[in-house]
Amino acid sequence: MRANSLSLLRTAAKYAGPRSIAHRSGQYGLRWSSSEARQWSTPLAKTLAEAITTTGPISVAAYMRQCLTSPDGGYYTRHTTGHDQFGAKGDFITSPEISQVFGELVGIWLYTEWLAQGQKEKVQIIEVGPGRGTLMDDVLRTISTFKAFARSIESIYLVEASPHLRKQQAKLLSGTEELEEAELGWKSPCKHLLDCDIIWCEDIRFLPKEESSTPFILAHEFFDALPIHVFQNTASSSIPASSTILTPTGPITPKHGPQVPKNHWHELVVSPIQSPTGKEDAEEFHLTVSKTPTPHSLYLPQTSSRYKALSKTENSIIEISPESLSYISDFAIRIGGANPAPPSPPPSRSPSNTSPVSHSPPTPPFQKPSPSGAALILDYGPAATIPANTLRGIRAHKPVSPFTSPGLVDLSADVDFLALAETALTSSPRVEVHGPVEQAFFLSTMGIKERTERLIRKAKLGKDSVADIEETVKRLDIGWKRLVDRGPTGMGRIYKAMAIVPFADEKGTVRRPVGFGGDVVR
């Protein structure tokens, strides 16, 4: 998200560089009275401060989750009359709103994958985090022109937690804000594919996994908004190592006592600032380093060799999003099926009885006889490195502190594409990952320039006034160039595309998808 402001943030980060968070031990165990006459910027800020006062500092992930999706004023779940999060009048503008060609090319990409996989039936179109529905509207409009592909689509699912955004999506995609209750959530007829309903649910886990279905999954600027945990590598002690002790019988080295300090991962946590400056948009919360390891700091940095490689690098900072890894694992399993279940241990016997102890059989992992479908992820973040110090806030197209005005500021962080790829490959043995590639490469090879030139020629032949034609031509020309701009802070360089597709055939033939170095396969 946040196409207008991301370049400003990148420029600032370039000169700020990585930084460690100094220990602020005075903040821990802090208790102060919330009954003081302190004015909070939002009701959610007051709620968060009172909760932290009671339970202690919270993780960055918990802070992000509350700021974005709290039912009591979260950024995406609130509804303010006359204000919209998206678009020129909101806080940020997304790629589909910059140019309609973006969504059209995504629809064409789905069509080319459908062709390459043998034009399967029972197709599912799934989008997570659909925003206002602009991308899905362009995708479905494009798909409707490919009649055979359109007929193969059995269902359309939108995963959306915000009631307000669901209504916006329904108005755009169905022509009405009235949603009918359904088994999985809500539904409404699709205006582009008349034989299909659009079904909304709050979590992708509610969507059934079907052995014979072919899911095509879209995640555009979705992972950047999922909560992250932040860890800093710190030395646990500054006490010097034990020295040799001289005794009448000779030197000895104590087996116990102070040892060489070892580095440990400590989690960065959020707590209120006790004495705010009182200035408008001043920070009300800040980051501190936990004095002791948290459950997350003991587990998450051990889940990848990439993190373990930094275990002895003092002050190194890493960001990990467990929710992102859970979603990408779900994508991979829907496409290729899960890993086979491990062998069952022999039945145990109770100490006082020789008969086996019965246990309920575990749920077998989801399996697909033939992998099918694809997932297309479009977001921003480094191609191979671990994100660090990337938590940001955006409001009215300008970068602001993520610790001011909770619920009114959009929060996001860079996506760890390599972590997504690793998780997809370990979650399903029958998928492969392509990318990430720069958005400029993906859109250019998909034909964004050629499609835009065709729209410009069509606009010039229209019957609109000269001023309107010039405005349309200017908008189309600026839009596509902005999407593929490869300058230091351009969208074409910062944004990346990554695809998950079925694994190569038994012969080991590698088929690169269109947009990732491959050609259309029929």
Side-chain angles (χ1 to χ4, degrees):
M1 305 176 181
R2 311 100 187 138
N4 273 357
S5 306
L6 190 56
S7 61
L8 296 175
L9 289 160
R10 290 286 184 178
T11 303
K14 177 180 178 181
Y15 296 102
R19 64 187 186 281
S20 61
I21 306 297
H23 281 276
R24 299 168 181 165
S25 58
Q27 300 293 338
Y28 303 98
L30 180 65
R31 295 292 181 268
W32 45 273
S33 173
S34 60
S35 61
E36 300 173 7
R38 176 170 178 175
Q39 297 297 316
W40 297 94
S41 59
T42 64
L44 182 57
K46 183 174 184 292
T47 300
L48 283 169
E50 290 176 343
I52 294 172
T53 301
T54 303
T55 64
I58 60 176
S59 65
V60 174
Y63 177 79
M64 287 184 68
R65 189 176 296 108
Q66 289 298 310
C67 289
L68 295 177
T69 60
S70 169
D72 301 320
Y75 183 80
Y76 288 109
T77 49
R78 67 181 169 86
H79 173 48
T80 305
T81 304
H83 180 267
D84 189 0
Q85 294 96 330
F86 306 92
K89 296 181 180 179
D91 295 315
F92 54 86
I93 188 169
T94 61
S95 297
E97 292 161 327
I98 292 175
S99 174
Q100 71 181 67
V101 182
F102 182 90
E104 293 173 352
L105 296 181
V106 171
I108 292 173
W109 188 86
L110 296 180
Y111 175 61
T112 61
E113 270 304 299
W114 179 74
L115 289 175
Q117 296 183 31
Q119 306 183 29
K120 296 182 181 294
E121 299 295 327
K122 298 190 68 175
V123 170
Q124 298 173 340
I125 304 294
I126 303 171
E127 184 179 7
V128 291
R132 287 197 299 193
T134 306
L135 174 61
M136 183 57 74
D137 187 54
D138 291 333
V139 167
L140 294 178
R141 174 173 50 80
T142 302
I143 289 176
S144 67
T145 63
F146 303 108
K147 302 303 181 184
F149 184 31
R151 286 194 299 270
S152 72
I153 297 176
E154 184 179 64
S155 51
I156 303 166
Y157 295 108
L158 298 183
V159 180
E160 179 57 68
S162 168
H164 171 59
L165 289 177
R166 283 197 295 266
K167 289 184 177 181
Q168 287 195 49
Q169 296 155 13
K171 187 175 182 180
L172 182 61
L173 300 172
S174 301
T176 177
E177 292 185 355
E178 299 300 322
L179 298 178
E180 179 184 345
E181 289 193 6
E183 181 180 356
L184 299 178
W186 305 265
K187 68 178 182 179
S188 187
C190 176
K191 71 178 185 182
H192 295 294
L193 307 178
L194 301 182
D195 295 331
C196 277
D197 284 337
I198 298 175
I199 300 173
W200 283 262
C201 66
E202 294 184 338
D203 194 300
I204 196 170
R205 290 173 295 183
F206 297 159
L207 301 184
K209 295 183 177 75
E210 299 177 4
E211 295 181 358
S212 58
S213 66
T214 299
F216 288 105
I217 307 168
L218 300 176
H220 173 248
E221 299 200 37
F222 170 73
F223 286 99
D224 66 289
L226 294 183
I228 60 170
H229 288 269
V230 186
F231 305 100
Q232 179 173 318
N233 190 281
T234 61
S236 61
S237 173
S238 60
I239 302 175
S242 299
S243 57
T244 300
I245 300 176
L246 297 177
T247 70
T249 58
I252 63 171
T253 301
K255 295 181 180 180
H256 305 286
Q259 300 294 318
V260 176
K262 296 180 180 180
N263 289 3
H264 293 281
W265 291 105
H266 287 245
E267 186 161 10
L268 301 191
V269 292
V270 180
S271 57
I273 294 177
Q274 190 172 7
S275 301
T277 62
K279 296 181 181 179
E280 185 178 0
D281 293 333
E283 290 187 342
E284 298 171 293
F285 300 85
H286 62 170
L287 284 177
T288 55
V289 183
S290 61
K291 292 194 341 183
T292 58
T294 63
H296 288 109
S297 69
L298 293 172
Y299 167 67
L300 289 176
Q302 307 304 319
T303 57
S304 171
S305 58
R306 300 167 67 222
Y307 311 141
K308 292 178 182 179
L310 296 172
S311 61
K312 296 182 180 180
T313 306
E314 188 174 350
N315 291 329
S316 57
I317 292 178
I318 58 175
E319 297 172 354
I320 305 175
S321 174
E323 289 189 33
S324 297
L325 305 184
S326 177
Y327 267 96
I328 206 71
S329 175
D330 184 282
F331 294 178
I333 291 173
R334 289 178 186 274
I335 296 167
N339 288 302
S344 300
S348 59
R349 298 177 182 272
S350 62
S352 60
N353 196 336
T354 57
S355 61
V357 178
S358 62
H359 297 282
S360 57
T363 303
F366 173 71
Q367 297 294 323
K368 291 184 74 169
S370 176
S372 63
L376 181 63
I377 296 96
L378 296 149
D379 225 310
Y380 54 81
T385 58
I386 303 171
N389 297 319
T390 69
L391 178 65
R392 61 178 68 86
I394 289 181
R395 187 177 184 185
H397 301 278
K398 296 179 180 179
V400 298
S401 168
F403 301 112
T404 184
S405 304
L408 300 181
V409 172
D410 178 43
L411 303 183
S412 65
D414 280 5
V415 176
D416 188 345
F417 281 99
L418 192 52
L420 297 185
E422 286 181 343
T423 302
L425 294 175
T426 56
S427 298
S428 174
R430 307 181 73 184
V431 301
E432 59 187 32
V433 177
H434 294 267
V437 298
E438 292 182 356
Q439 179 172 283
F441 178 85
F442 175 77
L443 294 178
S444 295
T445 55
M446 289 297 299
I448 187 172
K449 179 181 179 181
E450 292 77 8
R451 173 58 179 162
T452 303
E453 289 174 345
R454 182 177 178 182
L455 290 174
I456 289 175
R457 289 195 299 269
K458 182 178 179 181
K460 290 179 177 179
L461 297 175
K463 298 180 180 180
D464 294 335
S465 65
V466 174
D468 289 341
I469 291 175
E470 290 179 349
E471 177 63 27
T472 299
V473 170
K474 180 180 178 181
R475 174 176 52 81
L476 289 169
D477 189 57
I478 292 176
W480 85 269
K481 291 178 179 177
R482 181 178 176 186
L483 292 176
V484 299
D485 177 15
R486 294 194 69 257
T489 58
M491 292 182 70
R493 179 186 295 272
I494 293 174
Y495 284 75
K496 310 291 193 305
M498 189 173 79
I500 304 173
V501 297
F503 187 62
D505 59 30
E506 290 77 6
K507 299 178 181 179
T509 304
V510 176
R511 178 190 64 82
R512 293 188 179 277
V514 175
F516 295 86
D519 296 319
V520 177
V521 178
R522 291 183 179 272

